[in-house]
Amino acid sequence: MKYIALLSGGKDSCYNLLHCHKNGHQLIAAASLRPEHGKEELDSYLYQTVGQDAIEFVARALEVPLYRRVISGTALVQSSEYGGRDAEERGGINGDETEDLYALLTDVKSQHPDAKGVSVGAILSNYQRIRVEHVCQRLSLTPLSYLWQRDQADLLSEMIRAGVEAVLIKVAGIGLNTTHLGKTLSGMQSTLTMLNTLYGSHICGEGGEYETLTIDCPLFKRRITLLETETVIHSDNDFATVAFLRIRRASLDTKPEQSLDVAVPTLLDQPYRHIAEDLQARILNNSQSPGRIEPQGFHSSNKALETRLTTPTSIHFGNWVSIGNIHRGTRDTSDMPLEDEVRECFRILQQRLSEHSLSLSHIANINIFISSMENFASINAVYATYFGVSPPARACVAVDLPHPLRVTLDCVAYAEQKVSDRQALHVQSLSYWAPANIGPYSQAIVVDERVFVSGQIGLIPCSLTIPYPQSLATEIPLASQHADRIVKALTNNAGGGWDGHAQLVLYWLTQERHISHAVAAAQTLDRDTTPTLFLTVRGLPKDALIEKQVLYHTGRGGAVDEDGDTVPVSCPPIYGSETFAEADVEIQYEVSYLEHAGASAAVICGRGNSNSNWRASEPGSRELYRWELCTSSLAVSSSDSKTDLPPIQSLFDSQGPAITYVPCRHICTRDGRDWEYVICILTT
């Protein structure tokens, strides 16, 4: 695509241009924000302002037009979100410095209407990324952030090897002083590495330790020569000197043509690459037929399931609200436009939420079950109109819904007391890290120490395409790597500092013959005691072979000490399982439970005559099995089951959970056993 470079003149913005070129994008213009005349160094949360006296030289070296605008706003909104969570409040904030970027890119786009992307050199700054993505979303531009979440030591080495020559033009970190100004990255690499070892300084200056000016790189048609500079000391103290170079005179000089050799990270990190290799060998050696096995679809004559699909249900416990079985009415079988059916689902959902004094902005996670992936784009377009910034986490799969339903959904919502009680990771940039959201959802939501990770498919992050030729051996570890990277990014964010423990894992697959391979991969990818299900459904987004959905917990909670005071503690979950068989009924429980947090997740699998009393089969370990505190539940019924659906209500001491009935084509647990029905339960 044709794109605009957000140009600070520093190493990161210029090195990202090399990756944009490597990924086939065409640079057509540059844009930069600067302080008003007479101010060289502006205390901006968002923009690098030092070195602006040389930015014209960088654009001329790239031989692209440069568009500039004066920064007039300030950092009015300094939180981890920009814009409102409600759809009608997702616009910008007047007077904030982010709106200067919006105005600048609006001007550039008016001159270059064919521009579709924006290059962004962000590595770790969520503050910067969130605001640039907010502006890009409003202007229908795709952010290109190939440095995002990369290891800084690796990045610095790669920049130097790729021929990015940048000099330090500002120092503001411990161990750096005026003698380091004007030195190149290659000349400073050992010093920056040492400061990282001694003090934890960011090797690439992500903590504001230093800033740079790029004087040459393979995309430059001419090289910048600094002819006269002046050192300006902003402040000097025992901790760190803050000083910068004022560029008095510079020139553009001819240079020999450089080859563009950019290091691109491997698709899979080493542990996942080994899993892919082992899985590929297993698939090749497997004796099963290589042909696709088409399982039977949903039997529309299954009246038990159709009856249970009639009424939405909800439950409210503490600050949590769970709503299930949201869909259009089943008695009216007349044709309804698909878009209207989605709107009807959201009308019902909003009504149910309002009964608990909540709105759509309180939703932490949504599961959407649709009749066909051919409807995905149309459903997504309507879905997007209901959410602002930091939308819920989400999983979307196609299942064999009974006529006339094409959409069914459920959700879990939380009534946070303040905005900071809910943390979202919503990355919309193309990168090498993990897929940008291909729908209006966040990669993950953290609330009340629960971590809802959106369903992940095996997309190549930089292109949002499925690897070709399509391979289960690649898609399973790739989807798992995405989920793990998302959780790792959350733990490194403000409010992080936790380990993350998987409480529930769902593998959605499109082919029954792939289950045994997914089970084998899960033995290495996931903790062998985590409740895990393998569910075959009709289809997945992008025609993926597998989608992985994970629920984590931070492990944090409270415990009463010997003085009777509640103190914060962090512990992993307790895992348990038990099997019960009587006559023609077999029930299996798998549970993860955090005693100090009172949070558990469980899968209850069954086969046989489900009219038996499930309550009689419940194990007596009350510290693990606390069904009376259920806040959310998902019931899955195998489409070829010849038995009635289980009497779920008998499991609970009081009001039962909000149940959503999802017809699957096959159900399996990690031990390789098949089941006719299963219930997934979240409790608090």
Side-chain angles (χ1 to χ4, degrees):
M1 70 179 74
K2 294 181 179 180
Y3 73 96
I4 305 160
L6 282 186
L7 209 57
S8 69
K11 65 184 186 338
D12 301 336
S13 64
C14 289
Y15 186 54
N16 195 66
L17 299 183
L18 301 188
H19 283 278
C20 290
H21 184 86
K22 182 75 172 181
N23 282 274
H25 306 304
Q26 179 185 351
L27 176 63
I28 59 172
S32 182
L33 286 156
R34 60 181 175 85
E36 63 183 89
H37 183 70
K39 289 187 177 180
E40 295 175 285
E41 170 70 328
L42 189 66
D43 189 18
S44 170
Y45 283 73
L46 189 55
Y47 311 115
Q48 173 180 321
T49 55
V50 68
Q52 285 292 314
D53 41 10
I55 200 73
E56 296 277 356
F57 288 94
V58 177
R60 287 165 57 192
L62 288 166
E63 294 187 353
V64 293
L66 174 66
Y67 298 83
R68 305 186 74 181
R69 187 180 181 89
V70 172
I71 301 169
S72 61
T74 57
L76 295 180
V77 180
Q78 299 176 19
S79 65
S80 60
E81 295 182 359
Y82 184 78
R85 292 176 185 169
D86 293 321
E88 60 272 14
E89 298 176 355
R90 58 186 167 190
I93 290 87
N94 289 334
D96 191 274
E97 61 181 351
T98 305
E99 297 311 297
D100 294 321
L101 178 61
Y102 178 78
L104 173 63
L105 289 180
T106 299
D107 291 342
V108 179
K109 194 173 180 184
S110 69
Q111 298 298 316
H112 301 274
D114 53 347
K116 302 299 181 184
V118 172
S119 172
V120 187
I123 300 174
L124 283 181
S125 173
N126 277 298
Y127 184 94
Q128 179 188 28
R129 176 189 57 77
I130 287 168
R131 283 152 179 78
V132 172
E133 288 178 347
H134 189 276
V135 169
C136 288
Q137 189 274 330
R138 291 155 63 190
L139 293 173
S140 300
L141 294 168
T142 299
L144 307 172
S145 302
Y146 296 108
L147 312 188
W148 179 247
Q149 291 291 315
R150 293 289 314 282
D151 179 87
Q152 292 185 56
D154 291 344
L155 270 181
L156 188 63
S157 296
E158 291 172 10
M159 290 178 190
I160 295 169
R161 287 198 301 269
V164 174
E165 188 175 348
V167 296
L168 271 64
I169 58 169
K170 180 183 177 181
V171 291
I174 188 170
L176 296 174
N177 54 55
T178 56
T179 64
H180 297 119
L181 292 173
K183 290 192 173 182
T184 63
L185 291 179
S186 57
M188 287 294 297
Q189 186 175 20
S190 60
T191 299
L192 296 172
T193 302
M194 177 190 68
L195 294 176
N196 170 259
T197 302
L198 291 175
Y199 309 115
S201 300
H202 293 270
I203 293 179
C204 282
E206 285 298 287
E209 293 88 347
Y210 68 94
E211 293 178 6
T212 60
L213 172 68
T214 304
I215 59 175
D216 196 13
C217 84
L219 286 182
F220 281 14
K221 305 301 188 294
R222 289 179 289 173
R223 174 189 173 87
I224 301 172
T225 301
L226 302 181
L227 300 174
E228 182 182 350
T229 63
E230 177 187 353
T231 299
V232 179
I233 298 178
H234 188 274
S235 64
D236 196 2
N237 55 56
D238 293 337
F239 177 73
T241 297
V242 179
F244 63 91
L245 280 185
R246 179 180 294 145
I247 311 299
R248 290 292 193 182
R249 286 194 308 119
S251 64
L252 288 173
D253 301 327
T254 58
K255 52 171 273 191
E257 186 175 342
Q258 285 179 269
S259 61
L260 200 157
D261 184 16
V262 182
V264 174
T266 58
L267 181 61
L268 291 169
D269 290 340
Q270 188 171 8
Y272 303 94
R273 192 159 60 247
H274 289 164
I275 292 170
E277 293 167 354
D278 293 344
L279 190 55
Q280 182 62 29
R282 186 184 190 280
I283 292 173
L284 291 175
N285 294 331
N286 194 278
S287 60
Q288 295 186 45
S289 169
R292 177 171 179 136
I293 299 175
E294 295 287 354
Q296 291 185 342
F298 171 78
H299 300 290
S300 60
S301 61
N302 189 334
K303 298 299 181 184
L305 180 56
E306 290 186 39
T307 299
R308 292 171 184 261
L309 279 168
T310 57
T311 308
T313 58
S314 64
I315 185 171
H316 189 170
F317 184 84
N319 290 330
W320 288 96
V321 171
S322 176
I323 303 175
N325 231 23
I326 301 292
H327 53 75
R328 63 169 287 189
T330 55
R331 292 184 179 180
D332 180 9
T333 59
S334 61
D335 290 339
M336 174 186 288
L338 178 60
E339 290 79 4
D340 289 347
E341 185 173 347
V342 179
R343 294 186 187 98
E344 175 66 8
C345 288
F346 273 93
R347 184 193 66 79
I348 297 170
L349 178 57
Q350 287 174 308
Q351 178 183 336
R352 288 285 179 158
L353 286 167
S354 67
E355 293 171 359
H356 303 283
S357 301
L358 298 179
S359 65
L360 295 174
S361 64
H362 291 97
I363 297 175
N365 186 79
I366 287 184
N367 294 313
I368 306 180
F369 306 100
I370 63 180
S371 60
S372 172
M373 275 298 155
E374 293 179 357
N375 298 330
F376 179 82
S378 298
I379 292 172
N380 225 24
V382 179
Y383 180 99
T385 64
Y386 287 92
F387 297 100
V389 303
S390 301
R394 191 181 81 176
C396 181
V397 301
V399 298
D400 298 296
L401 291 173
H403 182 76
L405 301 185
R406 288 169 291 181
V407 184
T408 296
L409 57 87
D410 64 23
C411 79
V412 180
Y414 184 81
E416 64 264 19
Q417 303 305 304
K418 53 186 183 297
V419 173
S420 59
D421 288 345
R422 179 182 185 270
Q423 181 187 1
L425 182 66
H426 186 205
V427 180
Q428 303 173 70
S429 303
L430 292 183
S431 69
Y432 300 120
W433 168 69
N437 55 331
I438 60 172
Y441 59 92
S442 296
Q443 279 85 357
I445 296 291
V446 184
V447 65
D448 195 28
E449 309 302 338
R450 296 273 198 180
V451 186
F452 296 90
V453 179
S454 291
Q456 297 298 311
I457 60 177
L459 291 175
I460 300 173
C462 62
S463 62
L464 297 185
T465 58
I466 296 291
Y468 181 83
Q470 194 163 14
S471 165
L472 183 73
T474 300
E475 289 188 39
I476 292 180
L478 187 53
S480 296
Q481 177 176 275
H482 295 336
D484 293 343
R485 284 182 174 180
I486 289 168
V487 174
K488 181 179 179 181
L490 283 167
T491 63
N492 292 332
N493 283 354
W498 39 267
D499 295 327
H501 306 283
Q503 280 203 283
L504 179 66
V505 181
L506 302 180
Y507 286 93
W508 304 93
L509 302 104
T510 58
Q511 300 184 35
E512 183 179 334
R513 66 190 178 96
H514 287 163
I515 287 180
S516 63
H517 304 308
V519 169
Q523 304 302 323
T524 303
L525 289 166
D526 309 308
R527 187 185 178 110
D528 59 8
T529 50
T530 303
T532 304
L533 287 174
F534 303 85
L535 309 164
T536 306
V537 292
R538 181 173 183 175
L540 297 172
K542 298 274 189 176
D543 289 326
L545 298 176
I546 191 164
E547 178 173 340
K548 185 174 183 178
Q549 187 178 7
V550 190
L551 172 72
Y552 280 83
H553 196 282
T554 65
R556 298 186 297 203
V560 178
D561 64 13
E562 55 190 21
D563 297 324
D565 299 324
T566 301
V567 295
V569 296
S570 181
C571 298
I574 302 168
Y575 296 96
S577 63
E578 192 164 346
T579 302
F580 171 85
E582 182 180 273
D584 59 348
V585 176
E586 184 176 9
I587 306 296
Q588 178 172 294
Y589 297 79
E590 296 180 10
V591 182
S592 63
Y593 176 63
L594 286 100
E595 183 174 9
H596 61 283
S600 62
V603 295
I604 310 173
C605 309
R607 65 160 69 94
N609 183 5
S610 59
N611 285 321
S612 300
N613 185 1
W614 276 38
R615 190 70 180 181
S617 66
E618 182 189 346
S621 179
R622 301 304 297 169
E623 59 272 17
L624 285 180
Y625 306 95
R626 301 173 62 194
W627 310 133
E628 72 276 18
L629 303 185
C630 182
T631 61
S632 175
S633 178
L634 168 67
V636 185
S637 174
S638 176
S639 61
D640 59 358
S641 172
K642 301 302 187 292
T643 62
D644 293 331
L645 291 175
I648 297 165
Q649 186 64 43
S650 66
L651 280 170
F652 304 93
D653 292 337
S654 55
Q655 180 184 2
I659 296 291
T660 299
Y661 291 86
V662 183
C664 291
R665 297 180 171 185
H666 199 85
I667 300 169
C668 183
T669 44
R670 136 188 331 270
D671 55 10
R673 305 180 73 190
D674 301 330
W675 302 93
E676 293 179 348
Y677 39 80
V678 61
I679 308 170
C680 297
I681 297 177
L682 310 184
T683 77
T684 189

